[in-house]
Structures are given as structure tokens and as C-alpha cells.
Amino acid sequence: MSYYSISNLVIVAINFPMAILLFLSSKGRKANIVLGYLCLAAVVWGFGSFKYSTTLSKESAIFWWQVANVG
């Protein structure tokens, strides 16, 4: 596993709990909700990039790169 894939796992591990915490503590505050969605987008990007960097087939790599770009 390369440093690139490890860094993507760190992105997922940090942003997912942060998003949950922001959604649970938002109490109607719009800024917390927007930041929570931003963290979820970073999770999708990080997971897609991780799968992209660890896959072996070209078709699978293209699919996960597209998933990462959605985030």
C-alpha cells in the first residue's frame, strides 16, 4: 500500500466522524449542516481515490476515479 492510499484512508477516517458530529450537533444551524455535507463529499472523494489507487483492472480504476470525482 502506497502513501497515496494511506492518505486517502486518513481522509475518510477523519471526515466521516466529523460529518456525523456536525449533523448531530447542528440544532438547525445552517453552517454546521453545510460543513457536514462538505465532509461527506470529502469522504466520497477519499474512498473513491483509495479504491482507485488499490485496484488492479483498468475498468475498475476508471469507475472509482469517476466516483472520486463525484465527491
Side-chain angles (χ1 to χ4, degrees):
M1 193 178 305
S2 67
Y3 290 123
Y4 180 72
S5 36
I6 292 171
S7 68
N8 288 317
L9 284 179
V10 170
I11 289 169
V12 172
I14 290 173
N15 282 302
F16 189 67
M18 189 184 310
I20 291 173
L21 180 70
L22 285 167
F23 286 130
L24 292 178
S25 68
S26 67
K27 296 179 184 163
R29 292 184 61 193
K30 194 172 186 175
N32 286 5
I33 294 172
V34 170
L35 188 57
Y37 283 126
L38 181 66
C39 288
L40 284 180
V43 168
V44 171
W45 173 72
F47 184 73
S49 296
F50 168 73
K51 292 296 286 182
Y52 164 76
S53 66
T54 58
T55 189
L56 299 176
S57 69
K58 183 178 179 180
E59 293 81 17
S60 180
I62 291 172
F63 171 75
W64 284 111
W65 188 254
Q66 290 173 344
V67 169
N69 282 330
V70 166

